[in-house]
PDB file of all heavy atoms in Angstrom:
ATOM      1  N   ILE A1010     -25.448  33.763 -28.254  1.00 73.00           N
ATOM      2  CA  ILE A1010     -26.857  33.776 -28.079  1.00 73.00           C
ATOM      3  C   ILE A1010     -27.334  35.259 -27.951  1.00 73.00           C
ATOM      4  O   ILE A1010     -28.334  35.785 -28.533  1.00 73.00           O
ATOM      5  CB  ILE A1010     -27.393  32.904 -26.937  1.00 73.00           C
ATOM      6  CG1 ILE A1010     -27.403  31.448 -27.316  1.00 73.00           C
ATOM      7  CG2 ILE A1010     -28.853  33.323 -26.559  1.00 73.00           C
ATOM      8  CD1 ILE A1010     -27.663  30.512 -26.184  1.00 73.00           C
ATOM      9  N   THR A1011     -26.636  35.912 -27.222  1.00 77.00           N
ATOM     10  CA  THR A1011     -26.924  37.415 -26.823  1.00 77.00           C
ATOM     11  C   THR A1011     -26.808  38.182 -28.259  1.00 77.00           C
ATOM     12  O   THR A1011     -27.652  38.985 -28.489  1.00 77.00           O
ATOM     13  CB  THR A1011     -25.924  38.017 -25.884  1.00 77.00           C
ATOM     14  OG1 THR A1011     -26.018  37.280 -24.659  1.00 77.00           O
ATOM     15  CG2 THR A1011     -26.229  39.532 -25.565  1.00 77.00           C
ATOM     16  N   LYS A1012     -25.611  37.894 -28.928  1.00 78.00           N
ATOM     17  CA  LYS A1012     -25.410  38.533 -30.304  1.00 78.00           C
ATOM     18  C   LYS A1012     -26.589  38.205 -31.273  1.00 78.00           C
ATOM     19  O   LYS A1012     -27.186  39.054 -31.934  1.00 78.00           O
ATOM     20  CB  LYS A1012     -24.113  38.024 -30.846  1.00 78.00           C
ATOM     21  CG  LYS A1012     -23.740  38.669 -32.150  1.00 78.00           C
ATOM     22  CD  LYS A1012     -23.326  40.110 -31.950  1.00 78.00           C
ATOM     23  CE  LYS A1012     -22.841  40.753 -33.248  1.00 78.00           C
ATOM     24  NZ  LYS A1012     -22.665  42.159 -33.172  1.00 78.00           N
ATOM     25  N   LEU A1013     -26.986  36.902 -31.230  1.00 71.00           N
ATOM     26  CA  LEU A1013     -28.108  36.601 -32.136  1.00 71.00           C
ATOM     27  C   LEU A1013     -29.450  37.157 -31.836  1.00 71.00           C
ATOM     28  O   LEU A1013     -30.151  37.636 -32.677  1.00 71.00           O
ATOM     29  CB  LEU A1013     -28.251  35.027 -32.068  1.00 71.00           C
ATOM     30  CG  LEU A1013     -27.435  34.127 -33.076  1.00 71.00           C
ATOM     31  CD1 LEU A1013     -27.635  32.737 -32.705  1.00 71.00           C
ATOM     32  CD2 LEU A1013     -27.761  34.421 -34.434  1.00 71.00           C
ATOM     33  N   ARG A1014     -29.654  37.303 -30.569  1.00 75.00           N
ATOM     34  CA  ARG A1014     -30.922  38.014 -30.066  1.00 75.00           C
ATOM     35  C   ARG A1014     -30.872  39.409 -30.579  1.00 75.00           C
ATOM     36  O   ARG A1014     -31.876  40.036 -30.914  1.00 75.00           O
ATOM     37  CB  ARG A1014     -30.973  37.915 -28.570  1.00 75.00           C
ATOM     38  CG  ARG A1014     -31.600  36.590 -28.110  1.00 75.00           C
ATOM     39  CD  ARG A1014     -31.646  36.474 -26.612  1.00 75.00           C
ATOM     40  NE  ARG A1014     -32.222  35.331 -26.166  1.00 75.00           N
ATOM     41  CZ  ARG A1014     -31.938  34.668 -24.965  1.00 75.00           C
ATOM     42  NH1 ARG A1014     -31.151  35.214 -24.121  1.00 75.00           N
ATOM     43  NH2 ARG A1014     -32.559  33.471 -24.663  1.00 75.00           N
ATOM     44  N   GLU A1015     -29.657  40.104 -30.458  1.00 77.00           N
ATOM     45  CA  GLU A1015     -29.682  41.429 -30.858  1.00 77.00           C
ATOM     46  C   GLU A1015     -29.865  41.600 -32.360  1.00 77.00           C
ATOM     47  O   GLU A1015     -30.591  42.455 -32.761  1.00 77.00           O
ATOM     48  CB  GLU A1015     -28.283  42.032 -30.528  1.00 77.00           C
ATOM     49  CG  GLU A1015     -28.126  42.314 -29.056  1.00 77.00           C
ATOM     50  CD  GLU A1015     -26.628  42.555 -28.638  1.00 77.00           C
ATOM     51  OE1 GLU A1015     -25.715  42.595 -29.634  1.00 77.00           O
ATOM     52  OE2 GLU A1015     -26.308  42.738 -27.470  1.00 77.00           O
ATOM     53  N   GLU A1016     -29.240  40.641 -33.107  1.00 73.00           N
ATOM     54  CA  GLU A1016     -29.371  40.537 -34.567  1.00 73.00           C
ATOM     55  C   GLU A1016     -30.848  40.418 -34.882  1.00 73.00           C
ATOM     56  O   GLU A1016     -31.500  40.938 -35.871  1.00 73.00           O
ATOM     57  CB  GLU A1016     -28.612  39.588 -35.172  1.00 73.00           C
ATOM     58  CG  GLU A1016     -27.061  39.903 -35.130  1.00 73.00           C
ATOM     59  CD  GLU A1016     -26.195  38.787 -35.660  1.00 73.00           C
ATOM     60  OE1 GLU A1016     -26.708  37.808 -36.105  1.00 73.00           O
ATOM     61  OE2 GLU A1016     -24.970  38.939 -35.651  1.00 73.00           O
ATOM     62  N   LEU A1017     -31.512  39.446 -34.335  1.00 70.00           N
ATOM     63  CA  LEU A1017     -32.874  39.088 -34.419  1.00 70.00           C
ATOM     64  C   LEU A1017     -33.804  40.249 -34.241  1.00 70.00           C
ATOM     65  O   LEU A1017     -34.730  40.676 -35.013  1.00 70.00           O
ATOM     66  CB  LEU A1017     -33.297  37.826 -33.625  1.00 70.00           C
ATOM     67  CG  LEU A1017     -34.707  37.281 -33.866  1.00 70.00           C
ATOM     68  CD1 LEU A1017     -34.836  36.817 -35.305  1.00 70.00           C
ATOM     69  CD2 LEU A1017     -34.925  36.142 -32.968  1.00 70.00           C
ATOM     70  N   GLU A1018     -33.536  40.935 -33.207  1.00 77.00           N
ATOM     71  CA  GLU A1018     -34.471  42.295 -32.794  1.00 77.00           C
ATOM     72  C   GLU A1018     -34.209  43.263 -33.929  1.00 77.00           C
ATOM     73  O   GLU A1018     -35.160  43.803 -34.259  1.00 77.00           O
ATOM     74  CB  GLU A1018     -34.006  42.669 -31.458  1.00 77.00           C
ATOM     75  CG  GLU A1018     -34.550  41.950 -30.221  1.00 77.00           C
ATOM     76  CD  GLU A1018     -35.981  41.735 -30.216  1.00 77.00           C
ATOM     77  OE1 GLU A1018     -36.741  42.641 -30.490  1.00 77.00           O
ATOM     78  OE2 GLU A1018     -36.422  40.571 -30.090  1.00 77.00           O
ATOM     79  N   ALA A1019     -32.993  43.424 -34.322  1.00 77.00           N
ATOM     80  CA  ALA A1019     -32.709  44.454 -35.341  1.00 77.00           C
ATOM     81  C   ALA A1019     -33.395  44.022 -36.665  1.00 77.00           C
ATOM     82  O   ALA A1019     -33.988  44.924 -37.305  1.00 77.00           O
ATOM     83  CB  ALA A1019     -31.145  44.590 -35.574  1.00 77.00           C
ATOM     84  N   LEU A1020     -33.361  42.795 -36.995  1.00 69.00           N
ATOM     85  CA  LEU A1020     -34.014  42.212 -38.186  1.00 69.00           C
ATOM     86  C   LEU A1020     -35.590  42.563 -38.073  1.00 69.00           C
ATOM     87  O   LEU A1020     -36.186  43.044 -39.129  1.00 69.00           O
ATOM     88  CB  LEU A1020     -33.747  40.782 -38.410  1.00 69.00           C
ATOM     89  CG  LEU A1020     -32.517  40.508 -39.172  1.00 69.00           C
ATOM     90  CD1 LEU A1020     -32.325  38.938 -39.128  1.00 69.00           C
ATOM     91  CD2 LEU A1020     -32.520  40.919 -40.615  1.00 69.00           C
ATOM     92  N   LYS A1021     -36.076  42.281 -36.906  1.00 72.00           N
ATOM     93  CA  LYS A1021     -37.617  42.396 -36.772  1.00 72.00           C
ATOM     94  C   LYS A1021     -37.973  43.936 -36.880  1.00 72.00           C
ATOM     95  O   LYS A1021     -39.051  44.247 -37.413  1.00 72.00           O
ATOM     96  CB  LYS A1021     -37.953  41.910 -35.328  1.00 72.00           C
ATOM     97  CG  LYS A1021     -38.036  40.251 -35.323  1.00 72.00           C
ATOM     98  CD  LYS A1021     -38.512  39.727 -34.073  1.00 72.00           C
ATOM     99  CE  LYS A1021     -38.638  38.233 -34.058  1.00 72.00           C
ATOM    100  NZ  LYS A1021     -38.967  37.713 -32.587  1.00 72.00           N
ATOM    101  N   ASP A1022     -37.112  44.688 -36.204  1.00 74.00           N
ATOM    102  CA  ASP A1022     -37.405  46.191 -36.278  1.00 74.00           C
ATOM    103  C   ASP A1022     -37.282  46.641 -37.691  1.00 74.00           C
ATOM    104  O   ASP A1022     -38.186  47.449 -38.054  1.00 74.00           O
ATOM    105  CB  ASP A1022     -36.373  47.039 -35.450  1.00 74.00           C
ATOM    106  CG  ASP A1022     -36.624  46.652 -33.911  1.00 74.00           C
ATOM    107  OD1 ASP A1022     -37.719  46.224 -33.487  1.00 74.00           O
ATOM    108  OD2 ASP A1022     -35.627  46.935 -33.148  1.00 74.00           O
ATOM    109  N   ASP A1023     -36.283  46.256 -38.447  1.00 70.00           N
ATOM    110  CA  ASP A1023     -36.087  46.535 -39.883  1.00 70.00           C
ATOM    111  C   ASP A1023     -37.317  46.139 -40.658  1.00 70.00           C
ATOM    112  O   ASP A1023     -37.853  46.946 -41.491  1.00 70.00           O
ATOM    113  CB  ASP A1023     -34.758  46.082 -40.491  1.00 70.00           C
ATOM    114  CG  ASP A1023     -33.628  46.786 -39.865  1.00 70.00           C
ATOM    115  OD1 ASP A1023     -33.907  47.891 -39.312  1.00 70.00           O
ATOM    116  OD2 ASP A1023     -32.451  46.246 -40.045  1.00 70.00           O
ATOM    117  N   TYR A1024     -37.635  44.991 -40.395  1.00 66.00           N
ATOM    118  CA  TYR A1024     -38.934  44.351 -41.173  1.00 66.00           C
ATOM    119  C   TYR A1024     -40.182  45.108 -40.854  1.00 66.00           C
ATOM    120  O   TYR A1024     -40.965  45.378 -41.837  1.00 66.00           O
ATOM    121  CB  TYR A1024     -38.967  42.906 -40.825  1.00 66.00           C
ATOM    122  CG  TYR A1024     -39.951  42.107 -41.683  1.00 66.00           C
ATOM    123  CD1 TYR A1024     -39.527  41.842 -43.012  1.00 66.00           C
ATOM    124  CD2 TYR A1024     -41.133  41.617 -41.215  1.00 66.00           C
ATOM    125  CE1 TYR A1024     -40.338  41.118 -43.878  1.00 66.00           C
ATOM    126  CE2 TYR A1024     -41.991  40.938 -41.988  1.00 66.00           C
ATOM    127  CZ  TYR A1024     -41.648  40.719 -43.509  1.00 66.00           C
ATOM    128  OH  TYR A1024     -42.416  39.883 -44.292  1.00 66.00           O
ATOM    129  N   ALA A1025     -40.349  45.472 -39.628  1.00 71.00           N
ATOM    130  CA  ALA A1025     -41.581  46.188 -39.214  1.00 71.00           C
ATOM    131  C   ALA A1025     -41.644  47.613 -39.884  1.00 71.00           C
ATOM    132  O   ALA A1025     -42.577  48.080 -40.314  1.00 71.00           O
ATOM    133  CB  ALA A1025     -41.621  46.273 -37.700  1.00 71.00           C
TER     134      ALA A1025
END
Side-chain angles (χ1 to χ4, degrees):
I1010 286 170
T1011 303
K1012 183 71 176 172
L1013 273 175
R1014 279 178 179 154
E1015 290 171 357
E1016 290 176 3
L1017 188 58
E1018 287 303 314
L1020 275 173
K1021 285 179 177 178
D1022 290 344
D1023 288 347
Y1024 192 69

